[in-house]
Amino acid sequence: MEAAPAIELEGLTRRYGERVALRDVTLSLPYGATLVVFGPNGAGKSTLLRILATLLRPHAGTARVLGRDLPGEGWAVRGSVGLLGHAPLLYRDLTGRENLAYHARLHGVGLDRAEALLEQVGLATRAQDKVHTYSRGMVQRLAVCRAVLHDPQLLLLDEPRANLDPAAREIVEPLIGAASGRTRVITSHDPAGGLADADVALGLRDGSAALLAPVREVDPAQVGALYR
């Protein structure tokens, strides 16, 4: 018997007033696989991530994530999802350590896990400093720690390497890369890099799926065409 997919969407649609942000998106992603989502700004990439994270309700179609139907069973999914978006979801007036301690309590995770992550991303020596004193790259590294703190099954990554220099990208790669073994959905504007990092490619244009195929069947030029 074939295993159920980690993510299964059928006719997924979401509107903001009269504007359609996602239109009739249908796809299936196995456990442990990575979906890369391409498309120009406003194409619906972040909206898709927010629906999968249970932060938005679809207006039509169905979404099943980690064996649960959304939005009805969103309560059963949230603890198994890690979201890394454009907003870091950190308190600027708390220290890096206090931020992770807060999220650790929310997820019932030991503080030793938070300390290990701070060490892993090179923030242990700045852990007592308030987040508003951090550079953008440091904030992004701390946000990565927050997203993986509870060892989620599913990672939702909105341009996760933004603001990171090459050394920092290498540091966070074991936490959010394919080697983590997690199911991942990643948004990207980098055709070659995004395809190299994924198993399945989805190209959105005006909320619709203009491209959906295994990455081995996709050429970077096809991705580039989404932006013209």
Side-chain angles (χ1 to χ4, degrees):
M1 182 176 179
E2 187 175 350
I7 297 174
E8 190 168 17
L9 309 178
E10 182 71 35
L12 189 70
T13 299
R14 169 72 197 195
R15 297 181 298 274
Y16 295 105
E18 295 183 358
R19 183 177 72 83
V20 179
L22 287 175
R23 187 194 312 273
D24 197 28
V25 174
T26 298
L27 62 87
S28 179
L29 186 71
Y31 279 89
T34 296
L35 173 71
V36 61
V37 187
F38 298 107
N41 294 335
K45 302 185 301 298
S46 295
T47 295
L48 175 60
L49 291 193
R50 288 173 64 81
I51 289 174
L52 297 177
T54 76
L55 299 176
L56 286 176
R57 291 171 171 260
H59 289 127
T62 61
R64 189 166 177 83
V65 175
L66 303 178
R68 302 286 188 161
D69 292 320
L70 301 185
E73 295 181 294
W75 58 271
V77 172
R78 293 185 190 107
S80 300
V81 174
L83 174 64
L84 182 62
H86 291 164
L89 304 181
L90 299 167
Y91 292 97
R92 290 174 51 81
D93 289 330
L94 295 182
T95 68
R97 180 173 285 116
E98 288 169 341
N99 267 280
L100 292 193
Y102 170 74
H103 285 279
R105 286 194 295 271
L106 288 179
H107 291 287
V109 175
L111 294 181
D112 56 339
R113 166 71 172 167
E115 291 297 329
L117 287 170
L118 288 167
E119 184 70 35
Q120 187 169 349
V121 302
L123 289 177
T125 59
R126 294 291 305 273
Q128 283 299 103
D129 296 339
K130 293 186 177 181
V131 170
H132 70 73
T133 69
Y134 286 10
S135 69
R136 289 185 179 182
M138 292 171 65
V139 169
Q140 187 72 357
R141 279 185 276 157
L142 186 63
V144 167
C145 294
R146 176 198 53 73
V148 303
L149 180 65
H150 55 301
D151 195 20
Q153 284 184 266
L154 172 63
L155 274 180
L156 305 175
L157 307 171
D158 205 350
E159 298 182 74
R161 298 170 183 87
N163 302 317
L164 295 178
D165 61 31
R169 292 184 182 197
E170 186 175 341
I171 286 172
V172 304
E173 191 63 21
L175 297 174
I176 62 173
S180 69
R182 298 183 176 96
T183 306
R184 301 182 303 155
V185 180
I186 306 174
T187 72
S188 176
H189 290 299
D190 175 11
L195 291 173
D197 197 30
D199 302 293
V200 180
L202 169 65
L204 293 175
R205 185 169 4 185
D206 297 327
S208 297
L211 169 69
L212 178 61
V215 295
R216 64 180 179 275
E217 299 175 7
V218 180
D219 187 276
Q222 293 174 269
V223 177
L226 295 167
Y227 297 86
R228 293 194 291 269

